[in-house]
């Protein structure tokens, strides 16, 4: 479930913001408003392309229009408003615009990041079906390969592009490449606080894979690292506290176990204080 939430965070923030309306009986109206907003972005971007004073501004307009095509396609497909053929057509228009932006401003990290985001959005729709992560790691990797290439290109152009590091980490986490995901999130954390949460989750997720191979010490190290990095136990993230406590109990390392309990209590008190 956590992997699905991670995929969803950059993809459907706008969609999630509308869920209250959709569930409140305003579904058709809200869908129409949202689709109209994408169409307005497409129209305004088209005018900006026609009136741009230089290639950089024209590339920015192509990015905006390509992103609008992509978001309209993803939204419409998520709510089953369009056929597969129409989805492919809109996605094709999105990629075509992003390709034009790359050709106009190839030195810009943003043109690669934006195209990568469009590829990422489509890949995520393909690997999550009815809320379930589907396919093998290799299959998912193939879907994400174009996005991965663009995010890496963006980072080559601007090593401080934290969103490119973030999406690259999400790709690697989704495809089971947790060592690389941890490296990506470490880079992001140095640039933006969001990376800390991602990194803590990745350590926890990697930790949960070790007991299957009876690598208990490795699991303990990753769970401890997750807690040290700032893991939460809020139900939406990977929880390192309970499995770590279980490992310490099984190994009769009771002092360390009580240490985990204390850390969990401190986390709960901090959350209560901030919430209050």
């Amino acid at each position: 479930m956590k992997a699905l939430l991670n995929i969803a965070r950059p993809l459907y923030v706008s969609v999630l913001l509308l869920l209250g309306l959709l569930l409140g009986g305003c579904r058709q109206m809200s869908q129409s408003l949202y689709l109209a907003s994408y169409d307005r972005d497409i129209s305004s971007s088209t005018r900006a392309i026609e009136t741009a004073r230089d290639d950089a501004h024209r590339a920015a307009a192509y990015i905006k229009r390509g992103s609008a095509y992509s978001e309209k396609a993803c939204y419409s497909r998520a709510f089953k408003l369009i056929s597969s053929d129409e989805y492919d057509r809109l996605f094709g228009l999105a990629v075509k615009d992003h390709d034009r932006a790359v050709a106009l401003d190839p030195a810009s990290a943003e043109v690669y990041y934006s195209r990568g985001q469009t590829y990422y959005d489509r890949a995520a729709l393909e690997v999550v079906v009815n809320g379930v992560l589907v396919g093998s790691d290799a299959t998912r990797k193939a879907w994400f390969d174009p996005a991965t290439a663009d995010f890496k290109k963006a980072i080559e152009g601007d090593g401080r592009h934290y969103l490119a590091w973030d999406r690259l980490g999400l790709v690697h986490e989704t495809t089971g490449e947790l060592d690389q995901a941890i490296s990506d999130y470490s880079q992001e954390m140095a640039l933006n606080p969001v990376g800390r949460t991602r990194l803590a989750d990745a350590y926890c997720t990697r930790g949960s894979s070790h007991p299957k191979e009876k690598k208990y010490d490795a699991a303990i190290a990753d769970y401890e690292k997750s807690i040290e990095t700032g893991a939460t136990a809020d139900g939406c993230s990977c929880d390192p506290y309970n499995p770590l406590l279980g490992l310490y109990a099984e190994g009769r390392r009771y002092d360390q176990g009580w240490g985990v309990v204390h850390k969990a209590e401190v986390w709960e008190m901090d959350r209560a204080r901030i919430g209050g």
Side-chain angles (χ1 to χ4, degrees), residues 63-83:
I63 285 174
K64 184 177 179 181
R65 192 172 73 174
S67 296
Y69 277 132
S70 175
E71 290 167 14
K72 180 179 180 180
C74 290
Y75 181 92
S76 298
R77 177 169 171 176
F79 287 100
K80 300 179 180 179
L81 302 176
I82 57 175
S83 66

Side-chain angles (χ1 to χ4, degrees), residues 77-103:
R77 177 169 171 176
F79 287 100
K80 300 179 180 179
L81 302 176
I82 57 175
S83 66
S84 296
D85 286 345
E86 177 61 8
Y87 173 73
D88 288 339
R89 186 186 75 85
L90 288 171
F91 180 76
L93 290 172
V95 172
K96 188 175 181 179
D97 275 353
H98 286 302
D99 287 347
R100 287 167 171 164
V102 170

